[in-house]
Amino acid sequence: MAAVDHLAKLLDLSSPATWPAPPRDTVHEVLGEWGPVGAELADLLLVRNGCYAFVSAFHLFGIAAEPTDHPADLVAWNSPTHWRSEYADLADGYLFFAEDVFGSQFALPATGDAVLLFDPETGTTTHFATTLAAWATTLFDDPAYHTGYPLAQAWQEHHGALPSDTRLLPKIPFFVGGKYEVDNLFPSDSATGMRTRAAVAAQIKDLPNGTTITFRTT
């Protein structure tokens, strides 16, 4: 049986490109220092320069041809003056290139030899795949889990289409037991959602496991 090209399958299921086709030189300038996986990502973006898939639960950032502060632009999204600076050193050394419906970030390490998953609630990273092709294959192994699309679909059935550059955040954070249910979700623009959780992640990063955490609302 022939192997399935899951990157091609992802594009078949995705929206039109969110950005016009970028100059090849621009793409390679942005991704040229991100190793072999960065080269794979460059090839992907030259075919589809950003997109949404799985009822907008999955978002692949594209590259704008000119400098912009738009959050859907890969360069702007990774700017040190954007949300990532509020994670202190937790977000250092990564290129964030895609996200699930909750804003969990798929990222490349500085070595460019893997795909990692960055948890915005805790600022921790876990290994996800060794290549971009393997990343796509793993997405399709369990797309409901890796993109959150069943909850995205359920939320949209109640509230309407999820706007661009919007993610669904938990009212009670998942890492302290918040439920993966529509009633525990609210929409937030992507950058605000990252900043909100960065404040918590930066405070808990040195706490030992099992520490009691109290959340106060005003």
Side-chain angles (χ1 to χ4, degrees):
M1 181 180 295
V4 176
D5 184 342
H6 287 98
L7 281 173
K9 184 176 179 180
L10 178 62
L11 296 186
D12 285 344
L13 296 175
S14 72
S15 69
T18 51
W19 294 95
R24 182 176 295 271
D25 289 347
T26 299
V27 175
H28 287 291
E29 180 180 353
V30 172
L31 297 172
E33 297 182 359
W34 291 94
V37 183
E40 286 186 283
L41 181 58
D43 290 341
L44 179 65
L45 295 182
L46 286 168
V47 175
R48 186 71 51 82
N49 193 21
C51 61
Y52 288 90
F54 297 104
V55 294
S56 296
F58 170 83
H59 177 212
L60 173 70
F61 295 96
I63 297 177
E66 301 292 337
T68 177
D69 60 358
H70 196 288
D73 170 42
L74 182 72
V75 176
W77 186 248
N78 283 276
S79 169
T81 61
H82 215 319
W83 59 268
R84 61 183 297 153
S85 63
E86 300 191 30
Y87 277 91
D89 60 345
L90 295 173
D92 288 353
Y94 303 118
L95 179 76
F96 302 99
F97 71 92
E99 60 188 353
D100 70 10
V101 75
F102 310 116
S104 298
Q105 301 289 307
F106 294 104
L108 307 186
T111 52
D113 58 357
V115 176
L116 309 177
L117 185 63
F118 178 87
D119 184 337
E121 293 188 353
T122 62
T124 56
T125 57
T126 54
H127 184 272
F128 194 85
T130 54
T131 67
L132 205 68
W135 164 75
T137 297
T138 302
L139 281 181
F140 278 99
D141 284 344
D142 192 347
Y145 179 76
H146 293 308
T147 70
Y149 83 81
L151 275 176
Q153 183 170 18
W155 188 91
Q156 290 175 91
E157 288 172 354
H158 285 82
H159 302 285
L162 191 66
S164 299
D165 310 315
T166 301
R167 300 290 85 187
L168 296 177
L169 273 60
K171 298 172 185 176
I172 300 175
F174 298 131
F175 84 100
V176 293
K179 295 183 178 180
Y180 287 86
E181 297 177 351
V182 171
D183 288 346
N184 189 42
L185 300 177
F186 70 96
S188 171
D189 73 87
S190 300
T192 298
M194 297 301 287
R195 290 189 183 99
T196 299
R197 289 173 291 182
V200 176
Q203 292 179 62
I204 67 171
K205 68 174 184 175
D206 295 323
L207 294 179
N209 291 337
T211 300
T212 299
I213 301 172
T214 301
F215 289 94
R216 294 185 176 87
T217 58
T218 56

